[in-house]
Amino acid sequence: MLFENTKFVFYDGANGTMLQKLGAKPGERPDLMNITAPEAVEQVHRLYVEAGSDIVCSNTFGCNADALEGSGYTPEEVITAGVEIAKRACAGRAKVALDIGPTGQLLEPMGELEAERAYELFRQQAVAGEKAGADFAAIETMSDIGEMKAAILAVAENTKLPVLATMTFDKSGRTFMGCTPEFFAETAEACGAAAIGINCSLEPSEMLQTASRIAAATKLPLIIKPNAGLPDSVTGGYDTGPADFAAQMKPYAAIGAKLIGGCCGTSPEYIKELRRVFEEI
């Protein structure tokens, strides 16, 4: 099993909020900065590596062909640049995960995106990421189990990349599209995911029960990447600081969390504090 000889594996934190601090303009696509501002992207990755991240996610969250239409760039161009930047920043000290987010469209019958088209979009991303040298595929922030299934199968059937799969749940314990933790765990494991869990939406203390349900439904390594609380509309910051975030994360060790990191609002300071707290366990 993946990571079985390691007690904890540390992910990175947010890319988008970090890039905003380095000059990303409102409304600008962060992934296109792989082409237009590679130095800024590399700086973010390097800061996470220096903070103790074992896995860094490429700046490629929305790089599917439909989302990039009209941008002047193909998924292969943006993904190749993104993975190469991340590998350069890691310099052998951390692994690179090809970051794959939702398509941004609703699948049939709720929307107009056909499952076959979703599969093809994810296939293009996965093939480009593996060719560029990614070590894993990190499928993140999914709310539709159908879309998650298409993404995992597209990676598993067309590459050799291990899949790290996370969905986003609300306080009810379901995704926006109604998926339960147990159904996600069973489906993702059956499709070939190597590790599964939760990212985004909530701060650590608010997703512990949902994470426990996932842990009880699978023997796969558990991934936990919460938000840093809620954004402050005045300051632009988030209401859960690094020390509080790490303290709220500590109970996850007891339920078997293996891969830990942060999502929206987190920064290298959060990863550094996470590493300090978990290395004492």
Side-chain angles (χ1 to χ4, degrees), residues 18-68:
M18 288 293 293
L19 289 171
Q20 287 172 6
K21 294 177 182 178
L22 294 176
K25 301 177 179 62
E28 182 179 5
R29 288 186 61 98
D31 45 23
L32 293 185
M33 293 179 72
N34 295 336
I35 307 294
T36 62
E39 298 85 0
V41 177
E42 185 173 347
Q43 182 180 348
V44 172
H45 292 322
R46 188 177 296 112
L47 288 171
Y48 279 120
V49 174
E50 292 171 352
S53 294
D54 299 309
I55 298 176
V56 166
C57 289
S58 61
N59 180 40
T60 54
F61 182 78
C63 289
N64 68 76
D66 285 359
L68 288 172

Side-chain angles (χ1 to χ4, degrees), residues 171 201-203 206 227-233 236-240 264:
K171 292 181 181 179
S201 289
L202 306 171
E203 64 180 342
E206 296 173 321
N227 284 355
L230 296 171
D232 187 310
S233 59
Y238 282 70
D239 61 7
T240 303
C264 302

Side-chain angles (χ1 to χ4, degrees), residues 103-124:
T103 60
Q105 306 173 69
L106 291 176
L107 267 65
E108 295 179 332
M110 299 295 291
E112 297 181 356
L113 181 64
E114 297 178 347
E116 293 79 6
R117 176 59 179 169
Y119 179 98
E120 175 59 18
L121 293 174
F122 293 129
R123 186 199 66 79
Q124 292 172 8

Side-chain angles (χ1 to χ4, degrees), residues 264-276:
C264 302
T266 59
S267 67
E269 288 73 24
Y270 286 73
I271 305 306
K272 186 176 182 179
E273 184 66 13
L274 265 183
R275 184 139 200 157
R276 184 191 69 78

Side-chain angles (χ1 to χ4, degrees), residues 202-239:
L202 306 171
E203 64 180 342
S205 62
E206 296 173 321
M207 59 172 67
L208 183 59
Q209 184 176 0
T210 302
S212 298
R213 290 170 62 183
I214 294 176
T218 183
K219 293 184 178 179
L220 293 178
L222 182 64
I223 306 169
I224 304 295
K225 292 182 62 181
N227 284 355
L230 296 171
D232 187 310
S233 59
V234 177
T235 66
Y238 282 70
D239 61 7

